């Protein structure tokens, strides 16, 4: 593999471990824990792994020599910057325990465990991937580990390779499944520990005890770099409104963090739209009002950040989609028999409730039509195919035409569209993510040595320099509650949405009126690896506002 | 203005001037020059500024104190990283001549000169913008300075402000107009020198004497950063073909440079498509063949770079568009009277020549329809509205279906689309562009002091460290030839397209078969400002291959 100059230089970076992890450690137990809700139900589902204590590592003044251990590792779900560092930290950690320890990577996600596709990760392979982005070292995949058959099939290969511990690097679902697997292996006495690591650029795997998931820091910095560049262009040419959609189907943490980094004119937060029970038209009208207010100042340009999941947070659209799914599933043949788009449209409108019909009619025709045509294999409307950024700008254009007729708008409106997602998921990790991920992996090795299972690797005090981070383990059951999924109540890790009373949102809310009208763009620029600490080592603003007492 | 940490740190960067410019200079004249073609015609159009000698600056051992001079500066056309550094270099240069010199910026492009919109650029303003991206210091615009009326109107404000020299920062068209303006002012004895600076991210303003335009280096590095990130994602998820369109309507230098930086599976070079007289379907078939060949290896993923201008380089499409423009202009009412899209389509096909009809029918219906509907104010087809990246992937999908039927393809094809342009035009300049631009501006001040007009600011030996660059001036007429523009023969600077016998293309061509089949991605990562020189100070690969004797 031919490397770029930066790849070569960056390979030499040595992540800065928390001081406590630089020597031998012992696990100190806290009080027994409870799940965040539904304690009795969760306890019954996890009889062997419920109620475990939080663990905190401290220096061990009288360590005993460790025995070699074989460990397996899995990358699960979407890519996030730093995954390779979790693996290299884990590798170094188990080698520190005993130099004859071995690390096996299961290939292309959890499916590799079930299908027995794996490779041993040698020092040469590990060194090739230190401090790099991507999950290409062993690949990732979206197979869900959920069934007894999968667990048993996986156990075959774990036994064959004498693997005593499995580290699953994934988001909330993958860590939920890791906990179920841990409980199952514990219950049958399989002799395999399962440890999770919190991964997702979406930032929605966090709680009282997990300060952030890895990858969020780097991905939002890449998005903020290009948003900043677009803002500078916008402020130079002064002739376009840029609608920028940002990846993330559920929570709006990415959009919020990017807004705090770049100070755009508008940033929509899905959670707020839902809480205020706003219609799509109301969201559009709010944008149009800002466009008109800026036009009145002579500024016919601006930047709007749009979270990818917006559409699904709008109660009226959610209701429309639910009815469309039922309607089209129940009457597929009748619908298919209609000859023209116009007849199909009329048919749909006639069958919908008046509220849903009004929502349907408020959508641009192309989008409305797409909702009835492109459905997934389960027959569901494919909301992800809707180009929300174009939908919004088209509707804003129409609204502005109305405002113009009313004499309330006298400007020019020309839109550009962008969608950023794949641009950030595999970036080289920032120093924060490089350190955090390496420490998560190294710490996972310590949890393995401590002999525990059903824990998530945990580092806290993340707004302090990495050498001061607190290391330990959190029982995954502690983060769970019961939720309805596909019609069944399931134990799941609570997803963290943007809290409207949380510090990051309140900070944004206190500034946005000024940012809307005036032009207050900031330009974060590209991630830097070699410069001054205030440029290279800043954690995300979300993290800093959420943990101000530990301000960097 | 609240600044990001990087903005603050970067403000302190001191561009490294060529040694010769660090003291007093004298201009040494070379031989009289000739235009690259059409010498007699150009000479007649530029009686006062044709045939001037190249200038090269050398140290001046016995300088005389300079007098204060008032200078105007204009940013013309699309943004390019480094524009602010040209202005700060110019500012420092005229202040070095005499501390009472003054710099005026005309606002929002050449229109600011004609409409007398300007601001004085004070030290405080200049310091705010050093080493930053964007053209927001004074804004830019696309008004063309072409008419005597504009020139005379501009002269009014130049006289009012006692401005003796005007620096125009722009691309080939703007520098052509600068030369015409220089000739006019010289001819009427206006006493205003005009100096050009070579700007454009497209990289198509270069020749024997101008090694590169500024902004190309930074913009292609930003695009290569995100292309690399997408490639890493592509290689981790192994399930998508990413079609990435890159800004640049005419030349394919940007796509070629990005390909050399990132080693994608496919990069289309418009100039090659034209030279080989390829049809759109042939371009599509070539891509589909690579997709099929990779699928045969089990690799159902890849990356395709597409230059924005591709469509207009395909001879058959060019011919189709020309006929459509004529046809629809001549029969606008007849066409408008047709009731349905199907009738319109049939009408168009019946009127086209068989060759053009075949091309029209080969296009996806939506694209074909768009060609007849969305026309610009002059009635011309709006080629720029065509989403070439989607057009190609749609046609590739159809072609693969054919190959599958023939038993020649047995894979999965799922596409993602991206378009990068605004992401790079206003990035903070790389060290190369920061140094190059600052030196271009400073050098322009030296040309002003030398009393010349109709020159372009020139730095050469750019693949050597900036302190070794050669500084001087090139008569703009030297780069000119006569070309037909809007039906008239005009003197213009020859646009530099990708040379198919040039070193950058030959390097690419020698590697692309390997890159197509195997996965040879490199990941350049984000632009670095503070690290080792091999990471921070590398010029573009295009420049290095074109000037190997001066290899960095």
């Amino acid at each position: 593999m031919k490397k770029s100059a930066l790849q070569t230089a960056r390979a030499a970076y040595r992540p800065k471990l928390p001081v406590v992890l630089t020597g031998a450690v012992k696990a100190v137990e806290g009080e027994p824990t409870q799940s965040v809700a539904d304690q009795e139900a969760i306890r019954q589902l996890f009889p062997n792994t419920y109620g475990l204590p939080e663990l905190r590592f401290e220096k061990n003044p009288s360590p005993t020599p460790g025995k070699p251990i074989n460990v397996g590792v899995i990358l699960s779900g979407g890519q996030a910057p730093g995954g390779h560092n979790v693996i290299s930290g884990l590798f170094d950690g188990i080698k520190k325990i005993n130099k004859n320890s071995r690390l096996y990577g299961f290939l292309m996600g959890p499916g590799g465990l079930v299908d027995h596709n794996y490779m041993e990760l040698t020092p040469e392979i590990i060194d090739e991937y230190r401090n790099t982005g991507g999950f290409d070292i062993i690949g990732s995949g979206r197979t869900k580990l959920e069934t007894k058959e999968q667990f048993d099939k996986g156990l075959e290969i774990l036994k064959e390779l004498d693997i005593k511990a499995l580290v699953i690097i994934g988001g909330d679902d993958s860590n939920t499944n890791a906990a179920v697997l841990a409980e199952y292996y514990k219950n049958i006495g399989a002799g395999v520990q399962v440890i999770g690591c919190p991964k997702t650029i979406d930032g929605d795997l966090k709680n009282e005890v997990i300060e952030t998931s890895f990858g969020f820091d780097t991905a939002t910095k890449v998005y903020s770099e290009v948003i900043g560049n677009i803002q500078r262009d916008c402020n130079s040419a002064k002739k376009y409104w840029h609608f920028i959609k940002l990846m993330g189907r559920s929570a709006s943490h990415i959009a919020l963090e990017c807004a705090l980094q770049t100070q755009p004119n508008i940033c929509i937060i899905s959670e707020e739209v839902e809480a205020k029970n706003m219609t799509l038209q109301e969201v559009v009208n709010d944008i149009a009002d800002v466009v008109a207010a800026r036009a009145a100042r002579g500024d016919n340009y601006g930047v709007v950040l749009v979270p990818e999941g917006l559409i699904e947070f709008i109660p009226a659209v959610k209701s429309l989609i639910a009815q469309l799914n039922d309607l089209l599933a129940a009457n597929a043949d009748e619908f298919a028999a209609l000859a023209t788009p116009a007849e199909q449209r009329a048919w749909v409108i006639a069958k919908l409730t008046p509220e849903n019909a009004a929502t349907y009619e408020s959508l641009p025709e192309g989008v409305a039509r797409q909702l009835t045509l492109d459905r997934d294999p389960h027959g569901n409307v494919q909301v992800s195919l809707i180009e929300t950024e174009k939908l919004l700008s088209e509707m804003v254009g129409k609204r502005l035409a109305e405002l113009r007729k009313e004499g309330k708008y006298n400007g020019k409106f020309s839109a550009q569209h962008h969608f950023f997602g794949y641009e950030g998921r595999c970036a080289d990790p920032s120093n924060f993510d490089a350190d955090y991920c390496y420490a998560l992996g190294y710490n996972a090795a310590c949890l393995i040595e401590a002999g525990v299972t059903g824990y998530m690797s945990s580092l806290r005090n993340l707004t302090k320099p990495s050498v001061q981070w607190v290391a330990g383990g959190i029982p995954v059951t502690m983060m769970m509650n019961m939720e309805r999924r596909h019609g069944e109540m399931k134990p799941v890790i609570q997803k963290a949405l943007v809290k409207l009373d949380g510090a990051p949102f309140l900070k944004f809310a206190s500034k946005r009126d000024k940012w809307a009208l005036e032009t207050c763009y900031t330009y974060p620029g590209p991630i830097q690896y070699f410069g001054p600490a205030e440029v290279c080592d800043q954690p995300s603003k979300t993290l800093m506002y959420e943990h101000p007492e530990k301000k960097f």
Side-chain angles (χ1 to χ4, degrees), chain A residues 62-305:
Chain A
S62 51
T64 49
K67 288 182 193 154
I69 185 165
N70 289 358
V71 172
V73 64
I74 294 173
L75 291 163
S76 180
Q79 280 72 252
H84 291 161
N85 270 26
V86 179
I87 293 175
S88 61
L90 176 62
F91 181 86
D92 291 353
I94 63 170
K95 289 288 187 186
K96 183 82 177 283
I97 294 170
N98 187 298
K99 67 180 170 39
N100 294 316
S101 296
R102 292 178 153 199
L103 183 61
Y104 294 92
F106 290 97
L107 304 182
M108 299 312 291
L113 177 68
V114 179
D115 302 333
H116 300 188
N117 292 322
Y118 67 90
M119 66 190 285
E120 184 175 350
L121 294 168
T122 61
E124 295 70 34
I125 296 172
I126 293 289
D127 285 348
E128 195 74 11
Y129 288 88
R130 288 179 192 270
N131 310 310
T132 59
F135 279 7
D136 42 315
I137 186 170
I138 50 174
S140 183
R142 295 190 181 273
T143 302
K144 289 191 191 304
L145 288 181
E146 291 177 315
T147 68
K148 182 174 172 309
E149 291 65 37
Q150 291 174 314
F151 300 167
D152 291 338
K153 197 86 179 103
L155 190 55
E156 288 173 17
I157 188 68
L158 295 173
K159 287 202 164 154
E160 188 181 321
L161 298 173
D162 195 27
I163 289 174
K164 298 285 195 246
L166 190 60
V167 175
I168 296 179
I169 302 167
D172 51 342
D173 278 352
S174 303
N175 275 283
T176 292
N177 294 339
V180 174
L181 185 64
E183 172 67 27
Y184 179 79
Y185 283 166
K186 180 93 180 178
N187 189 50
I188 65 170
V192 178
Q193 301 163 251
V194 182
I195 303 294
C197 283
K199 172 229 71 172
T200 169
I201 64 163
D202 294 346
D204 56 5
L205 171 47
K206 66 178 171 185
N207 48 51
E208 286 302 303
V209 287
I210 299 292
E211 295 181 4
T212 188
S213 55
F214 79 77
F216 176 75
D217 186 81
T218 305
T220 53
K221 281 174 177 157
V222 174
Y223 302 146
S224 296
E225 174 200 354
V226 287
I227 293 166
N229 289 353
I230 289 169
Q231 287 186 157
R232 195 124 211 177
D233 204 300
C234 181
N235 194 29
S236 299
K238 300 187 191 296
K239 62 180 177 182
Y240 293 122
W241 273 87
H242 292 268
F243 285 72
I244 305 174
K245 188 170 69 176
L246 295 166
M247 192 172 260
R249 286 286 296 285
S250 49
S252 297
H253 297 293
I254 289 178
L256 179 56
E257 171 68 20
C258 291
L260 292 168
Q261 294 271 0
T262 63
Q263 306 186 178
N265 304 100
I266 298 172
C267 174
I268 301 168
I269 302 296
S270 301
E271 290 85 343
E272 185 183 28
V273 169
E274 184 175 47
K276 291 185 172 171
N277 199 19
M278 291 174 79
T279 64
L280 180 57
Q281 192 60 54
E282 285 169 335
V283 172
V284 166
N285 291 357
D286 281 0
I287 300 173
D289 286 347
V290 172
V291 173
R294 284 179 65 82
R297 298 162 56 103
D299 295 336
N300 290 298
Y301 62 93
V303 170
V304 185
L305 303 188

Side-chain angles (χ1 to χ4, degrees), chain A residues 485-506:
Chain A
R485 296 279 169 96
H486 303 292
E488 259 182 282
M489 290 306 284
K490 293 262 188 188
V492 296
I493 296 175
Q494 237 179 9
K495 214 183 252 298
L497 299 182
V498 169
K499 289 183 182 159
L500 301 184
D501 59 354
F505 180 80
L506 291 176

